[in-house]
Amino acid sequence: MNIKEAIKIIQDEKLQGYNMNERKDDRENEVVLMRENDKWIVYATDERASIE
């Protein structure tokens, strides 16, 4: 899957609360999708991810 296909899936499914390839601190209840070295890294955070 390439980045355009991933974005299309996110838009088609009307997903919200995701972070795609942004280099920043994780937020609570967020799905993170990163592409590194031809591999996808995908994980989700919970309420403990907040830095507050």
Side-chain angles (χ1 to χ4, degrees):
M1 170 173 28
N2 64 37
I3 203 114
K4 286 183 181 182
E5 292 170 325
I7 291 171
K8 182 172 178 358
I9 291 169
I10 289 168
Q11 291 172 343
D12 289 350
E13 297 293 327
K14 297 178 176 67
L15 301 176
Q16 298 177 352
Y18 64 91
N19 170 356
M20 186 144 209
N21 287 323
E22 291 182 41
R23 298 293 181 184
K24 62 172 188 57
D25 293 333
D26 294 340
R27 286 180 281 176
E28 93 180 44
N29 300 319
E30 178 176 64
V31 175
V32 180
L33 302 103
M34 293 186 297
R35 180 93 173 158
E36 289 186 3
N37 302 324
D38 288 336
K39 293 185 180 180
W40 284 97
I41 299 170
V42 180
Y43 62 91
T45 63
D46 61 15
E47 69 279 355
R48 293 184 291 170
S50 181
I51 298 181
E52 297 175 21

